[in-house]
Short mmCIF file of all heavy atoms in Angstrom, two decimals:
data_model
loop_
_atom_site.label_atom_id
_atom_site.label_comp_id
_atom_site.label_asym_id
_atom_site.label_seq_id
_atom_site.Cartn_x
_atom_site.Cartn_y
_atom_site.Cartn_z
N ALA A 22 6.84 -8.99 8.66
CA ALA A 22 7.72 -8.01 7.96
C ALA A 22 6.78 -6.96 7.32
O ALA A 22 5.73 -7.36 6.74
CB ALA A 22 8.53 -8.73 6.93
N VAL A 23 7.10 -5.68 7.61
CA VAL A 23 6.42 -4.64 6.84
C VAL A 23 7.38 -3.77 6.17
O VAL A 23 8.46 -3.48 6.62
CB VAL A 23 5.66 -3.70 7.92
CG1 VAL A 23 5.12 -2.52 7.39
CG2 VAL A 23 4.66 -4.63 8.69
N ILE A 24 7.08 -3.38 4.87
CA ILE A 24 7.89 -2.73 3.94
C ILE A 24 7.34 -1.52 3.45
O ILE A 24 6.40 -1.47 2.65
CB ILE A 24 8.23 -3.64 2.78
CG1 ILE A 24 8.68 -5.02 3.19
CG2 ILE A 24 9.34 -3.06 1.93
CD1 ILE A 24 7.48 -6.11 3.21
N VAL A 25 7.73 -0.38 4.06
CA VAL A 25 7.42 0.97 3.63
C VAL A 25 8.07 1.15 2.22
O VAL A 25 9.15 0.83 2.05
CB VAL A 25 7.80 2.08 4.54
CG1 VAL A 25 7.45 3.52 3.99
CG2 VAL A 25 6.99 1.93 5.87
N THR A 26 7.23 1.48 1.13
CA THR A 26 7.71 1.48 -0.20
C THR A 26 7.43 2.60 -0.97
O THR A 26 6.34 3.25 -0.84
CB THR A 26 6.93 0.15 -0.85
OG1 THR A 26 7.13 -0.97 -0.12
CG2 THR A 26 7.56 -0.07 -2.18
N LYS A 27 8.36 2.97 -1.84
CA LYS A 27 8.19 4.10 -2.75
C LYS A 27 8.68 3.66 -4.18
O LYS A 27 9.43 2.61 -4.31
CB LYS A 27 9.09 5.31 -2.36
CG LYS A 27 8.44 6.03 -1.19
CD LYS A 27 9.11 7.42 -1.07
CE LYS A 27 8.38 8.26 -0.10
NZ LYS A 27 9.01 9.70 0.06
N THR A 28 8.13 4.31 -5.15
CA THR A 28 8.59 4.21 -6.59
C THR A 28 8.68 5.57 -7.18
O THR A 28 7.72 6.29 -7.06
CB THR A 28 7.71 3.22 -7.33
OG1 THR A 28 8.34 2.97 -8.57
CG2 THR A 28 6.26 3.79 -7.54
N ASN A 29 9.84 5.91 -7.78
CA ASN A 29 9.94 7.22 -8.41
C ASN A 29 9.50 8.25 -7.32
O ASN A 29 8.92 9.32 -7.83
CB ASN A 29 9.11 7.34 -9.65
CG ASN A 29 9.74 6.37 -10.74
OD1 ASN A 29 11.02 6.30 -10.94
ND2 ASN A 29 8.80 5.67 -11.40
N GLY A 30 9.88 8.18 -6.18
CA GLY A 30 9.56 9.24 -5.19
C GLY A 30 8.16 9.25 -4.65
O GLY A 30 7.78 10.15 -3.81
N LYS A 31 7.30 8.32 -5.11
CA LYS A 31 5.97 8.34 -4.64
C LYS A 31 5.69 7.05 -3.82
O LYS A 31 6.32 6.02 -4.04
CB LYS A 31 4.98 8.24 -5.89
CG LYS A 31 5.06 9.47 -6.84
CD LYS A 31 4.11 9.34 -8.05
CE LYS A 31 4.26 10.53 -8.89
NZ LYS A 31 3.39 11.51 -8.75
N TRP A 32 4.62 7.23 -2.90
CA TRP A 32 4.32 6.06 -2.00
C TRP A 32 3.70 4.91 -2.78
O TRP A 32 3.01 5.23 -3.75
CB TRP A 32 3.36 6.56 -1.02
CG TRP A 32 3.91 7.66 -0.13
CD1 TRP A 32 3.46 9.00 -0.13
CD2 TRP A 32 4.94 7.49 0.93
NE1 TRP A 32 4.23 9.67 0.84
CE2 TRP A 32 5.08 8.72 1.48
CE3 TRP A 32 5.64 6.49 1.41
CZ2 TRP A 32 5.91 9.05 2.55
CZ3 TRP A 32 6.52 6.68 2.48
CH2 TRP A 32 6.65 7.97 2.93
N VAL A 33 3.92 3.72 -2.30
CA VAL A 33 3.22 2.56 -2.90
C VAL A 33 2.37 1.89 -1.79
O VAL A 33 2.91 1.48 -0.76
CB VAL A 33 4.18 1.54 -3.45
CG1 VAL A 33 3.47 0.25 -3.89
CG2 VAL A 33 5.16 2.11 -4.53
N PHE A 34 1.02 1.84 -1.99
CA PHE A 34 0.17 1.23 -0.99
C PHE A 34 -0.71 0.19 -1.64
O PHE A 34 -0.83 0.11 -2.95
CB PHE A 34 -0.77 2.30 -0.40
CG PHE A 34 -0.06 3.43 0.30
CD1 PHE A 34 0.03 4.64 -0.30
CD2 PHE A 34 0.40 3.19 1.58
CE1 PHE A 34 0.71 5.61 0.45
CE2 PHE A 34 1.10 4.19 2.36
CZ PHE A 34 1.28 5.43 1.70
N CYS A 35 -1.18 -0.74 -0.82
CA CYS A 35 -1.85 -1.95 -1.40
C CYS A 35 -3.27 -1.87 -0.94
O CYS A 35 -3.62 -1.39 0.24
CB CYS A 35 -1.23 -3.25 -0.62
SG CYS A 35 0.45 -3.50 -1.07
N LYS A 36 -4.22 -2.21 -1.90
CA LYS A 36 -5.62 -2.35 -1.56
C LYS A 36 -5.98 -3.77 -1.53
O LYS A 36 -5.95 -4.42 -2.62
CB LYS A 36 -6.48 -1.62 -2.51
CG LYS A 36 -8.00 -1.50 -2.03
CD LYS A 36 -8.93 -1.48 -3.19
CE LYS A 36 -10.39 -1.76 -2.82
NZ LYS A 36 -10.52 -3.14 -2.52
N HIS A 37 -6.30 -4.33 -0.45
CA HIS A 37 -6.73 -5.74 -0.31
C HIS A 37 -8.17 -5.92 -1.03
O HIS A 37 -8.89 -5.05 -0.98
CB HIS A 37 -6.93 -6.09 1.24
CG HIS A 37 -7.05 -7.52 1.54
ND1 HIS A 37 -8.25 -8.19 1.33
CD2 HIS A 37 -6.17 -8.42 1.97
CE1 HIS A 37 -8.14 -9.43 1.76
NE2 HIS A 37 -6.81 -9.58 2.15
N LYS A 38 -8.26 -7.17 -1.58
CA LYS A 38 -9.56 -7.53 -2.29
C LYS A 38 -10.71 -7.31 -1.48
O LYS A 38 -11.82 -7.05 -1.99
CB LYS A 38 -9.35 -8.89 -2.82
CG LYS A 38 -8.46 -9.09 -3.97
CD LYS A 38 -8.27 -10.51 -4.37
CE LYS A 38 -7.21 -10.60 -5.47
NZ LYS A 38 -6.97 -11.99 -5.85
N ASP A 39 -10.62 -7.64 -0.21
CA ASP A 39 -11.78 -7.58 0.72
C ASP A 39 -12.06 -6.37 1.57
O ASP A 39 -12.90 -6.37 2.46
CB ASP A 39 -11.70 -8.80 1.70
CG ASP A 39 -11.70 -10.16 1.02
OD1 ASP A 39 -12.31 -10.21 -0.15
OD2 ASP A 39 -11.13 -11.11 1.54
N ARG A 40 -11.26 -5.28 1.31
CA ARG A 40 -11.28 -4.13 2.11
C ARG A 40 -11.28 -2.88 1.16
O ARG A 40 -10.85 -2.90 0.06
CB ARG A 40 -10.12 -4.04 3.05
CG ARG A 40 -10.00 -5.18 4.11
CD ARG A 40 -9.00 -4.91 5.15
NE ARG A 40 -7.63 -5.38 4.83
CZ ARG A 40 -7.22 -6.63 5.20
NH1 ARG A 40 -7.99 -7.52 5.70
NH2 ARG A 40 -6.00 -6.92 4.92
N ASP A 41 -11.63 -1.75 1.78
CA ASP A 41 -11.70 -0.50 0.98
C ASP A 41 -10.65 0.44 1.68
O ASP A 41 -10.70 1.70 1.46
CB ASP A 41 -13.12 0.24 1.23
CG ASP A 41 -14.21 -0.65 0.47
OD1 ASP A 41 -13.91 -1.13 -0.57
OD2 ASP A 41 -15.32 -0.62 0.99
N THR A 42 -9.80 -0.11 2.27
CA THR A 42 -8.61 0.67 2.94
C THR A 42 -7.28 0.42 2.30
O THR A 42 -7.18 -0.55 1.53
CB THR A 42 -8.61 0.39 4.45
OG1 THR A 42 -8.47 -1.00 4.61
CG2 THR A 42 -9.90 0.74 5.19
N LEU A 43 -6.31 1.19 2.72
CA LEU A 43 -4.94 0.94 2.11
C LEU A 43 -3.93 0.62 3.26
O LEU A 43 -4.11 1.00 4.38
CB LEU A 43 -4.46 2.31 1.39
CG LEU A 43 -5.33 2.71 0.20
CD1 LEU A 43 -4.80 4.04 -0.33
CD2 LEU A 43 -5.41 1.75 -0.83
N GLU A 44 -2.86 -0.06 2.79
CA GLU A 44 -1.84 -0.54 3.81
C GLU A 44 -0.48 -0.53 3.07
O GLU A 44 -0.46 -0.57 1.82
CB GLU A 44 -2.24 -1.78 4.32
CG GLU A 44 -2.43 -2.86 3.27
CD GLU A 44 -3.31 -4.10 3.82
OE1 GLU A 44 -4.46 -3.95 3.99
OE2 GLU A 44 -2.69 -5.23 4.04
N VAL A 45 0.54 -0.73 3.83
CA VAL A 45 1.85 -0.85 3.30
C VAL A 45 2.01 -2.36 3.08
O VAL A 45 1.35 -3.06 3.73
CB VAL A 45 2.98 -0.21 4.09
CG1 VAL A 45 2.83 1.34 4.12
CG2 VAL A 45 3.13 -0.90 5.48
#
């Protein structure tokens, strides 16, 4: 399951502890 997410009209992305990249 992948969840494209917003809050107050802004994107919400996750930063994994072991990576320097972002994901939904």
